[in-house]
Amino acid sequence: MNKALLVTASPGAFAPFSSALTSEGFSLARADSGSAALAAVGREAPDLVIIDDQLRDLSAMELIKRILETNAFVNTAVVTSLGEEEFHAAYEGLGVLDHLPPRPGRSEALGLARKLKELTAPLPSRQG
C-alpha cells in the first residue's frame, strides 16, 4: 500500500480526489500546513506528498525544497493554477512528479497513482 500525504488547508475541496486515491490503494494522511507536513515527513516518510500551493505558512516550492532536505526519496505533486510551461520553468530541477489543476478530481488522482506506480515498480529481471 502506498502512503500519501495531502497538504492543504481546504481538504473538502479535495474529496473526490482523495476518495479516488484511496480506492487506488493509497493510505491518505492530511496536513493543514507546510510545517505540519514537514513534521509528518520527518516522522514517517510517505511515498507521495501532494501540496496545495495555497498554503498559509510556506510556498509549495519552499515546502518541496525542505522535503528534499529531509528525505530526497519522497515524491511530490503540486496543485496549482500555473500552466504547463510556467510550472516547468518554476519547478525545474525539483523532481516534482506531477502538477495538478486546482480542485483535482478522480481522473487526476488516477493519473497520479499510475505515474507513481510506474515510477516505483520493480525493474524486470534480465536473465540471459
Side-chain angles (χ1 to χ4, degrees):
M1 176 174 280
N2 287 306
K3 294 182 287 182
L5 175 65
L6 175 61
V7 187
T8 182
S10 306
F14 290 84
F17 177 83
S18 298
S19 177
L21 272 183
T22 303
S23 72
E24 286 297 302
F26 282 77
S27 66
L28 187 62
R30 290 178 181 78
D32 62 0
S33 68
S35 57
L38 287 170
V41 169
R43 280 191 309 272
E44 185 177 351
D47 301 300
L48 175 65
V49 178
I50 303 127
I51 304 163
D52 184 351
D53 74 352
Q54 300 298 309
L55 297 176
R56 292 183 196 101
D57 63 341
L58 292 173
S59 70
M61 187 175 299
E62 181 62 28
L63 179 53
I64 291 168
K65 289 176 181 178
R66 290 188 182 183
I67 289 170
L68 288 171
E69 291 171 0
T70 303
N71 185 333
F73 295 103
V74 174
N75 294 289
T76 57
V78 179
V79 177
T80 180
S81 60
L82 290 177
E84 190 79 27
E85 288 183 26
E86 291 173 297
F87 178 81
H88 285 293
Y91 288 85
E92 185 175 6
L94 294 177
V96 177
L97 180 63
D98 203 0
H99 92 281
L100 305 166
R103 300 181 74 85
R106 179 173 172 72
S107 63
E108 288 84 9
L110 298 178
L112 183 58
R114 186 189 78 252
K115 285 181 181 182
L116 184 66
K117 287 176 183 176
E118 289 172 0
L119 183 67
T120 59
L123 295 173
S125 63
R126 297 183 79 178
Q127 298 188 5

